[in-house]
Amino acid sequence: MVRQSLTSFLDRNDVISKKQNGFVKGRSCLTNLLECFEYWTKALDEGFGNDLLYLDFRKAFDSIPIKRLIEKLKSYGLSGKLLEWISDFLTSRTMKAGLRGSFSALLDVLSGEPQGSVIGPLLFLLYVRERYS
């Protein structure tokens, strides 16, 4: 329900670029690969070369500062109950580490998103998104 509300808000307000692939309905990582392949083969056919840069976003979800993500959501115009729910979902979480039956004290979680959440990938996309002019 929250993901649907967030997606509806993003669609109504044209927040996500039409060039975005992945985490968006109808535009997967596969469609991105196909578009890139078409672009690369066209460039090669026209005598140009291709330079590629690969980025590894491993652990990227764990490194997002929660307060900064919430501020970004506000900057996109998100407000009201939806923003309040997302903020409550991300904040006031704690963690502890354990080793051989001994545990650390509880610590506040200041970054990252809960693993396996339905809205996690979309929130990550919104965090790394740049404003389009």
Side-chain angles (χ1 to χ4, degrees):
M1 184 170 73
V2 173
R3 183 178 178 10
Q4 183 180 13
S5 295
L6 182 56
T7 303
S8 294
F9 169 83
L10 299 173
D11 289 343
R12 276 192 321 272
N13 294 284
D14 201 29
V15 174
I16 297 179
S17 168
K18 301 299 180 211
K19 295 179 183 180
Q20 172 63 40
N21 288 278
F23 309 133
V24 178
K25 186 177 181 178
R27 295 179 300 210
S28 67
C29 293
L30 179 59
T31 59
N32 178 257
L33 181 60
L34 293 171
E35 288 174 14
C36 287
F37 186 72
E38 184 177 327
Y39 176 79
W40 296 333
T41 54
K42 182 180 178 191
L44 290 172
D45 288 346
E46 294 175 359
F48 297 98
N50 289 312
D51 294 323
L52 303 175
L53 176 66
Y54 292 94
L55 301 174
D56 182 4
F57 285 111
R58 186 174 41 125
K59 299 282 185 185
F61 285 74
D62 296 335
S63 63
I64 294 174
I66 294 168
K67 287 183 180 180
R68 200 172 302 156
L69 171 60
I70 292 168
E71 288 303 314
K72 260 200 152 173
L73 295 175
K74 288 178 187 177
S75 77
Y76 299 140
L78 195 64
S79 62
K81 294 283 186 194
L82 183 56
L83 179 63
E84 185 179 325
W85 189 96
I86 292 171
S87 181
D88 288 346
F89 175 69
L90 294 173
T91 57
S92 302
R93 293 183 295 128
T94 57
M95 66 177 178
K96 65 181 175 180
L99 178 65
R100 296 185 188 137
S102 297
F103 294 91
S104 69
L106 285 175
L107 299 170
D108 291 331
V109 175
L110 304 175
S111 64
E113 301 174 35
Q115 297 294 318
S117 70
V118 180
I119 64 170
L122 189 54
L123 292 175
F124 175 75
L125 170 69
L126 293 170
Y127 180 75
V128 298
R129 175 191 175 273
E130 291 294 323
R131 288 217 176 259
Y132 296 98
S133 49

